[in-house]
Short mmCIF file of all heavy atoms in Angstrom, two decimals:
data_model
loop_
_atom_site.label_atom_id
_atom_site.label_comp_id
_atom_site.label_asym_id
_atom_site.label_seq_id
_atom_site.Cartn_x
_atom_site.Cartn_y
_atom_site.Cartn_z
N ASP U 2 6.16 23.97 -6.84
CA ASP U 2 6.70 24.69 -5.69
C ASP U 2 7.08 23.76 -4.54
O ASP U 2 7.49 24.22 -3.48
CB ASP U 2 5.72 25.75 -5.21
CG ASP U 2 4.41 25.15 -4.67
OD1 ASP U 2 4.23 23.91 -4.74
OD2 ASP U 2 3.56 25.93 -4.17
N GLY U 3 6.93 22.43 -4.75
CA GLY U 3 7.27 21.47 -3.70
C GLY U 3 6.11 21.14 -2.79
O GLY U 3 6.23 20.23 -1.96
N GLY U 4 5.01 21.85 -2.90
CA GLY U 4 3.81 21.51 -2.15
C GLY U 4 3.05 20.37 -2.82
O GLY U 4 3.49 19.81 -3.82
N PHE U 5 1.85 20.07 -2.30
CA PHE U 5 1.08 18.94 -2.80
C PHE U 5 -0.35 19.34 -3.15
O PHE U 5 -0.96 20.18 -2.48
CB PHE U 5 1.05 17.81 -1.76
CG PHE U 5 2.40 17.19 -1.54
CD1 PHE U 5 3.24 17.67 -0.54
CD2 PHE U 5 2.87 16.16 -2.34
CE1 PHE U 5 4.49 17.14 -0.33
CE2 PHE U 5 4.12 15.61 -2.14
CZ PHE U 5 4.93 16.09 -1.13
N SER U 6 -0.86 18.70 -4.19
CA SER U 6 -2.26 18.87 -4.57
C SER U 6 -3.14 18.02 -3.66
O SER U 6 -2.65 17.18 -2.90
CB SER U 6 -2.46 18.45 -6.02
OG SER U 6 -1.63 19.19 -6.89
N ASP U 7 -4.45 18.23 -3.76
CA ASP U 7 -5.38 17.39 -3.01
C ASP U 7 -5.20 15.93 -3.43
O ASP U 7 -4.94 15.64 -4.60
CB ASP U 7 -6.82 17.82 -3.27
CG ASP U 7 -7.13 19.18 -2.67
OD1 ASP U 7 -6.42 19.60 -1.73
OD2 ASP U 7 -8.09 19.83 -3.15
N PRO U 8 -5.34 14.98 -2.49
CA PRO U 8 -5.07 13.59 -2.84
C PRO U 8 -6.13 13.01 -3.78
O PRO U 8 -7.30 13.40 -3.76
CB PRO U 8 -5.12 12.89 -1.48
CG PRO U 8 -6.03 13.73 -0.65
CD PRO U 8 -5.76 15.15 -1.09
N VAL U 9 -5.67 12.06 -4.58
CA VAL U 9 -6.55 11.32 -5.48
C VAL U 9 -6.61 9.88 -5.00
O VAL U 9 -5.58 9.22 -4.81
CB VAL U 9 -6.02 11.36 -6.93
CG1 VAL U 9 -6.91 10.52 -7.85
CG2 VAL U 9 -5.94 12.79 -7.42
N LYS U 10 -7.82 9.37 -4.77
CA LYS U 10 -8.00 7.98 -4.31
C LYS U 10 -8.10 7.06 -5.52
O LYS U 10 -8.85 7.33 -6.45
CB LYS U 10 -9.24 7.87 -3.44
CG LYS U 10 -9.49 6.46 -2.90
CD LYS U 10 -10.58 6.42 -1.85
CE LYS U 10 -11.95 6.68 -2.43
NZ LYS U 10 -13.01 6.48 -1.41
N SER U 11 -7.33 5.98 -5.50
CA SER U 11 -7.40 5.03 -6.61
C SER U 11 -7.81 3.65 -6.09
O SER U 11 -8.99 3.33 -6.03
CB SER U 11 -6.08 4.98 -7.38
OG SER U 11 -4.97 4.86 -6.51
N TRP U 12 -6.86 2.86 -5.62
CA TRP U 12 -7.18 1.50 -5.17
C TRP U 12 -7.97 1.53 -3.87
O TRP U 12 -7.67 2.28 -2.95
CB TRP U 12 -5.89 0.72 -4.96
CG TRP U 12 -6.07 -0.63 -4.36
CD1 TRP U 12 -6.46 -1.78 -4.99
CD2 TRP U 12 -5.86 -1.00 -2.99
NE1 TRP U 12 -6.49 -2.83 -4.11
CE2 TRP U 12 -6.13 -2.38 -2.87
CE3 TRP U 12 -5.45 -0.29 -1.85
CZ2 TRP U 12 -6.01 -3.07 -1.67
CZ3 TRP U 12 -5.34 -0.97 -0.66
CH2 TRP U 12 -5.62 -2.34 -0.57
N THR U 13 -9.00 0.68 -3.81
CA THR U 13 -9.80 0.51 -2.59
C THR U 13 -10.16 -0.96 -2.45
O THR U 13 -10.43 -1.64 -3.45
CB THR U 13 -11.09 1.35 -2.64
OG1 THR U 13 -10.77 2.74 -2.63
CG2 THR U 13 -11.99 1.06 -1.45
N THR U 14 -10.13 -1.46 -1.23
CA THR U 14 -10.58 -2.83 -0.98
C THR U 14 -11.69 -2.81 0.07
O THR U 14 -11.72 -1.95 0.95
CB THR U 14 -9.41 -3.73 -0.54
OG1 THR U 14 -9.86 -5.08 -0.46
CG2 THR U 14 -8.85 -3.29 0.79
N ALA U 15 -12.59 -3.76 -0.06
CA ALA U 15 -13.78 -3.82 0.80
C ALA U 15 -13.42 -4.20 2.23
O ALA U 15 -12.32 -4.72 2.50
CB ALA U 15 -14.77 -4.82 0.23
N PRO U 16 -14.31 -3.94 3.19
CA PRO U 16 -14.05 -4.30 4.58
C PRO U 16 -13.65 -5.75 4.75
O PRO U 16 -14.21 -6.64 4.10
CB PRO U 16 -15.38 -3.98 5.27
CG PRO U 16 -16.02 -2.94 4.43
CD PRO U 16 -15.61 -3.26 3.03
N GLY U 17 -12.67 -5.98 5.64
CA GLY U 17 -12.28 -7.34 5.98
C GLY U 17 -11.16 -7.93 5.16
O GLY U 17 -10.66 -9.02 5.47
N ASN U 18 -10.70 -7.23 4.12
CA ASN U 18 -9.64 -7.77 3.27
C ASN U 18 -8.24 -7.37 3.74
O ASN U 18 -7.31 -8.17 3.69
CB ASN U 18 -9.84 -7.32 1.82
CG ASN U 18 -11.03 -7.99 1.17
OD1 ASN U 18 -11.32 -9.16 1.42
ND2 ASN U 18 -11.75 -7.25 0.35
N TRP U 19 -8.06 -6.09 4.12
CA TRP U 19 -6.76 -5.60 4.58
C TRP U 19 -6.98 -4.88 5.90
O TRP U 19 -7.89 -4.05 6.02
CB TRP U 19 -6.16 -4.61 3.57
CG TRP U 19 -5.49 -5.21 2.39
CD1 TRP U 19 -6.02 -6.09 1.49
CD2 TRP U 19 -4.15 -4.97 1.95
NE1 TRP U 19 -5.10 -6.41 0.52
CE2 TRP U 19 -3.95 -5.73 0.78
CE3 TRP U 19 -3.11 -4.17 2.42
CZ2 TRP U 19 -2.74 -5.72 0.08
CZ3 TRP U 19 -1.91 -4.16 1.74
CH2 TRP U 19 -1.72 -4.93 0.58
N TRP U 20 -6.10 -5.17 6.87
CA TRP U 20 -6.13 -4.46 8.14
C TRP U 20 -4.90 -3.56 8.19
O TRP U 20 -3.77 -4.04 8.15
CB TRP U 20 -6.13 -5.45 9.31
CG TRP U 20 -7.34 -6.33 9.26
CD1 TRP U 20 -7.42 -7.60 8.78
CD2 TRP U 20 -8.66 -5.99 9.68
NE1 TRP U 20 -8.70 -8.08 8.88
CE2 TRP U 20 -9.49 -7.11 9.43
CE3 TRP U 20 -9.23 -4.85 10.26
CZ2 TRP U 20 -10.85 -7.12 9.72
CZ3 TRP U 20 -10.58 -4.85 10.55
CH2 TRP U 20 -11.38 -5.98 10.28
N PRO U 21 -5.07 -2.24 8.28
CA PRO U 21 -3.95 -1.30 8.18
C PRO U 21 -2.84 -1.55 9.20
O PRO U 21 -1.66 -1.33 8.90
CB PRO U 21 -4.61 0.06 8.41
CG PRO U 21 -6.02 -0.13 8.02
CD PRO U 21 -6.37 -1.54 8.39
N GLU U 22 -3.20 -2.01 10.39
CA GLU U 22 -2.16 -2.23 11.41
C GLU U 22 -1.22 -3.39 11.04
O GLU U 22 -0.17 -3.55 11.66
CB GLU U 22 -2.80 -2.48 12.78
CG GLU U 22 -3.69 -3.70 12.85
CD GLU U 22 -5.15 -3.41 12.53
OE1 GLU U 22 -5.42 -2.40 11.84
OE2 GLU U 22 -6.02 -4.19 12.96
N ASN U 23 -1.58 -4.18 10.03
CA ASN U 23 -0.74 -5.30 9.59
C ASN U 23 0.19 -4.92 8.45
O ASN U 23 0.95 -5.77 7.98
CB ASN U 23 -1.61 -6.47 9.13
CG ASN U 23 -2.39 -7.11 10.27
OD1 ASN U 23 -2.19 -6.77 11.43
ND2 ASN U 23 -3.27 -8.04 9.95
N VAL U 24 0.13 -3.67 7.97
CA VAL U 24 0.84 -3.26 6.76
C VAL U 24 2.03 -2.35 7.06
O VAL U 24 1.92 -1.45 7.89
CB VAL U 24 -0.13 -2.51 5.80
CG1 VAL U 24 0.59 -2.09 4.52
CG2 VAL U 24 -1.32 -3.38 5.46
N LYS U 25 3.15 -2.58 6.37
CA LYS U 25 4.28 -1.66 6.37
C LYS U 25 4.56 -1.29 4.92
O LYS U 25 4.69 -2.17 4.06
CB LYS U 25 5.49 -2.31 7.03
CG LYS U 25 5.24 -2.56 8.51
CD LYS U 25 6.44 -3.08 9.24
CE LYS U 25 6.10 -3.22 10.73
NZ LYS U 25 7.21 -3.81 11.48
N LEU U 26 4.64 0.03 4.65
CA LEU U 26 4.81 0.52 3.28
C LEU U 26 6.22 1.03 3.04
O LEU U 26 6.89 1.53 3.94
CB LEU U 26 3.83 1.67 3.02
CG LEU U 26 2.35 1.36 3.03
CD1 LEU U 26 1.55 2.63 2.72
CD2 LEU U 26 1.99 0.27 2.04
N ALA U 27 6.65 0.90 1.80
CA ALA U 27 7.93 1.45 1.35
C ALA U 27 7.78 1.79 -0.12
O ALA U 27 6.97 1.18 -0.83
CB ALA U 27 9.06 0.44 1.56
N SER U 28 8.56 2.76 -0.60
CA SER U 28 8.40 3.22 -1.98
C SER U 28 9.72 3.26 -2.72
O SER U 28 10.75 3.65 -2.15
CB SER U 28 7.75 4.61 -1.99
OG SER U 28 7.45 5.00 -3.30
N GLY U 29 9.69 2.85 -4.00
CA GLY U 29 10.86 2.89 -4.86
C GLY U 29 10.49 2.40 -6.24
O GLY U 29 9.41 1.84 -6.45
N ASP U 30 11.39 2.59 -7.19
CA ASP U 30 11.14 2.14 -8.57
C ASP U 30 11.55 0.68 -8.68
O ASP U 30 12.66 0.36 -9.09
CB ASP U 30 11.92 3.02 -9.56
CG ASP U 30 11.62 2.65 -11.00
OD1 ASP U 30 10.76 1.79 -11.25
OD2 ASP U 30 12.27 3.22 -11.89
N PHE U 31 10.63 -0.22 -8.34
CA PHE U 31 10.96 -1.63 -8.25
C PHE U 31 11.02 -2.33 -9.61
O PHE U 31 11.68 -3.36 -9.74
CB PHE U 31 9.97 -2.34 -7.33
CG PHE U 31 9.93 -1.76 -5.94
CD1 PHE U 31 8.77 -1.18 -5.44
CD2 PHE U 31 11.06 -1.77 -5.14
CE1 PHE U 31 8.73 -0.63 -4.17
CE2 PHE U 31 11.04 -1.22 -3.86
CZ PHE U 31 9.87 -0.65 -3.38
N ASP U 32 10.33 -1.79 -10.63
CA ASP U 32 10.37 -2.41 -11.95
C ASP U 32 11.27 -1.68 -12.93
O ASP U 32 11.42 -2.10 -14.09
CB ASP U 32 8.96 -2.56 -12.54
CG ASP U 32 8.21 -1.24 -12.65
OD1 ASP U 32 8.82 -0.18 -12.38
OD2 ASP U 32 7.03 -1.26 -13.01
N GLY U 33 11.86 -0.57 -12.52
CA GLY U 33 12.82 0.14 -13.35
C GLY U 33 12.25 0.90 -14.51
O GLY U 33 12.97 1.20 -15.47
N ASN U 34 10.97 1.29 -14.43
CA ASN U 34 10.34 1.99 -15.56
C ASN U 34 10.37 3.51 -15.41
O ASN U 34 9.79 4.22 -16.22
CB ASN U 34 8.90 1.52 -15.77
CG ASN U 34 7.96 1.95 -14.66
OD1 ASN U 34 8.40 2.48 -13.63
ND2 ASN U 34 6.66 1.74 -14.85
N GLY U 35 11.05 4.00 -14.36
CA GLY U 35 11.16 5.44 -14.15
C GLY U 35 10.09 6.04 -13.28
O GLY U 35 10.14 7.24 -12.98
N ARG U 36 9.11 5.23 -12.85
CA ARG U 36 8.08 5.71 -11.91
C ARG U 36 8.19 4.91 -10.63
O ARG U 36 8.32 3.69 -10.65
CB ARG U 36 6.67 5.57 -12.51
CG ARG U 36 6.40 6.42 -13.71
CD ARG U 36 4.89 6.54 -13.96
NE ARG U 36 4.27 5.25 -14.20
CZ ARG U 36 4.10 4.71 -15.41
NH1 ARG U 36 4.54 5.32 -16.49
NH2 ARG U 36 3.51 3.54 -15.55
N ASP U 37 8.08 5.60 -9.49
CA ASP U 37 8.13 4.90 -8.21
C ASP U 37 6.87 4.09 -7.99
O ASP U 37 5.76 4.48 -8.38
CB ASP U 37 8.31 5.90 -7.06
CG ASP U 37 9.74 6.40 -6.95
OD1 ASP U 37 10.65 5.69 -7.40
OD2 ASP U 37 9.93 7.50 -6.42
N ASP U 38 7.05 2.96 -7.34
CA ASP U 38 5.97 2.05 -6.96
C ASP U 38 5.87 2.02 -5.43
O ASP U 38 6.69 2.62 -4.73
CB ASP U 38 6.26 0.64 -7.49
CG ASP U 38 6.74 0.65 -8.94
OD1 ASP U 38 5.94 1.04 -9.81
OD2 ASP U 38 7.90 0.29 -9.20
N VAL U 39 4.88 1.33 -4.93
CA VAL U 39 4.73 1.16 -3.48
C VAL U 39 4.77 -0.33 -3.17
O VAL U 39 4.03 -1.12 -3.77
CB VAL U 39 3.41 1.77 -2.98
CG1 VAL U 39 3.18 1.42 -1.51
CG2 VAL U 39 3.42 3.28 -3.15
N ALA U 40 5.64 -0.71 -2.25
CA ALA U 40 5.69 -2.07 -1.74
C ALA U 40 4.95 -2.12 -0.41
O ALA U 40 5.12 -1.24 0.43
CB ALA U 40 7.12 -2.55 -1.57
N ALA U 41 4.15 -3.15 -0.23
CA ALA U 41 3.40 -3.33 1.02
C ALA U 41 3.74 -4.69 1.60
O ALA U 41 3.44 -5.73 0.99
CB ALA U 41 1.90 -3.22 0.77
N PHE U 42 4.39 -4.68 2.75
CA PHE U 42 4.63 -5.92 3.49
C PHE U 42 3.41 -6.16 4.37
O PHE U 42 3.06 -5.32 5.20
CB PHE U 42 5.89 -5.81 4.34
CG PHE U 42 6.22 -7.07 5.11
CD1 PHE U 42 7.16 -7.96 4.62
CD2 PHE U 42 5.60 -7.35 6.31
CE1 PHE U 42 7.46 -9.12 5.31
CE2 PHE U 42 5.89 -8.51 7.02
CZ PHE U 42 6.82 -9.39 6.52
N TYR U 43 2.77 -7.31 4.19
CA TYR U 43 1.57 -7.61 4.98
C TYR U 43 1.88 -8.79 5.89
O TYR U 43 2.20 -9.89 5.44
CB TYR U 43 0.39 -7.95 4.07
CG TYR U 43 -0.94 -7.86 4.78
CD1 TYR U 43 -1.72 -6.72 4.70
CD2 TYR U 43 -1.40 -8.91 5.58
CE1 TYR U 43 -2.93 -6.63 5.38
CE2 TYR U 43 -2.59 -8.83 6.26
CZ TYR U 43 -3.36 -7.69 6.16
OH TYR U 43 -4.55 -7.59 6.84
N GLY U 44 1.80 -8.56 7.19
CA GLY U 44 2.02 -9.61 8.18
C GLY U 44 0.69 -10.03 8.79
O GLY U 44 0.05 -9.26 9.51
N TYR U 45 0.27 -11.23 8.49
CA TYR U 45 -1.01 -11.75 9.00
C TYR U 45 -0.87 -12.15 10.47
O TYR U 45 0.24 -12.37 10.97
CB TYR U 45 -1.46 -12.95 8.17
CG TYR U 45 -1.74 -12.62 6.72
CD1 TYR U 45 -0.71 -12.61 5.78
CD2 TYR U 45 -3.03 -12.32 6.29
CE1 TYR U 45 -0.97 -12.30 4.44
CE2 TYR U 45 -3.28 -12.02 4.95
CZ TYR U 45 -2.25 -12.01 4.04
OH TYR U 45 -2.49 -11.71 2.71
N SER U 46 -2.00 -12.26 11.16
CA SER U 46 -1.97 -12.51 12.60
C SER U 46 -1.50 -13.92 12.95
O SER U 46 -1.17 -14.19 14.11
CB SER U 46 -3.36 -12.27 13.19
OG SER U 46 -4.33 -13.09 12.56
N ASP U 47 -1.46 -14.82 11.96
CA ASP U 47 -1.03 -16.19 12.21
C ASP U 47 0.42 -16.45 11.80
O ASP U 47 0.87 -17.60 11.76
CB ASP U 47 -1.95 -17.19 11.52
CG ASP U 47 -2.01 -16.99 10.00
OD1 ASP U 47 -1.30 -16.10 9.49
OD2 ASP U 47 -2.76 -17.73 9.34
N GLY U 48 1.16 -15.40 11.48
CA GLY U 48 2.55 -15.57 11.08
C GLY U 48 2.76 -15.77 9.60
O GLY U 48 3.91 -15.94 9.16
N ARG U 49 1.69 -15.76 8.80
CA ARG U 49 1.87 -15.69 7.35
C ARG U 49 2.32 -14.28 6.98
O ARG U 49 2.10 -13.33 7.74
CB ARG U 49 0.56 -16.01 6.62
CG ARG U 49 0.12 -17.45 6.69
CD ARG U 49 -1.21 -17.64 5.98
NE ARG U 49 -2.28 -16.91 6.64
CZ ARG U 49 -3.25 -16.24 6.03
NH1 ARG U 49 -3.30 -16.19 4.71
NH2 ARG U 49 -4.18 -15.62 6.73
#
C-alpha cells in the first residue's frame, strides 16, 4: 500500500567508530544487481 513496516536493524558499530554528524547518505543501485545500496560519504574532522 506504499506504507512501511517496522524497521529492522542490521549493521551496528560500537561507540567511537562513526560519528553521525560526519556522514552524508545517498542511495542507488551501485553494483547493478537490481537492489539499491547505500553510499556513505564520511568526512573526518582532519580533512580525511
